[in-house]
């Protein structure tokens, strides 16, 4: 298996995609092309949102794990 990209690297790539989509929307010739760009933009924005939410979940799990260890240590010391 290959190495996974870091979330920061993925966000940079997605931001670059958004920039390209903005440029494509400007030069789009008809409503179909503009519609495709809008759909693609929503997909990229959804990916960015998912990465951010995953980061929040990781932080929440870390805090929960710390709390579990604190409770375990307190019960062990009794």
């Amino acid at each position: 298996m290959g190495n996974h990209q870091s979330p920061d690297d993925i966000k940079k790539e997605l931001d670059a995609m958004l920039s390209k989509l903005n440029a494509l929307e400007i030069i789009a010739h008809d409503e179909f092309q503009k519609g495709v760009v809008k759909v693609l933009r929503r997909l990229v924005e959804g990916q960015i949102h998912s990465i951010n939410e995953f980061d929040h979940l990781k932080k929440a799990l870390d805090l929960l794990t710390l709390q579990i260890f604190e409770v375990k240590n307190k019960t062990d010391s009794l």
Side-chain angles (χ1 to χ4, degrees):
M1 293 193 109
N3 292 335
H4 292 283
Q5 287 181 305
S6 72
D8 290 334
D9 289 342
I10 295 171
K11 285 182 196 177
K12 286 178 187 174
E13 284 184 24
L14 291 170
D15 284 336
M17 283 183 203
L18 279 178
S19 296
K20 290 177 184 177
L21 288 170
N22 289 335
L24 284 173
E25 186 175 28
I26 291 170
I27 63 170
H29 296 291
D30 57 27
E31 290 303 312
F32 175 76
Q33 290 175 344
K34 289 179 183 180
V36 169
V37 170
K38 287 179 183 179
V39 169
L40 291 172
R41 181 182 294 112
R42 289 294 291 152
L43 291 171
V44 170
E45 288 170 346
Q47 286 294 98
I48 292 170
H49 178 74
S50 295
I51 290 170
N52 290 336
E53 287 300 313
F54 184 72
D55 194 41
H56 292 300
L57 288 172
K58 288 191 322 185
K59 289 176 184 176
L61 282 172
D62 288 343
L63 290 172
L64 181 61
T65 303
L66 284 173
Q67 291 294 315
I68 290 170
F69 280 121
E70 285 179 16
V71 168
K72 184 181 179 316
N73 287 338
K74 285 182 184 178
T75 57
D76 287 346
S77 64
L78 293 177

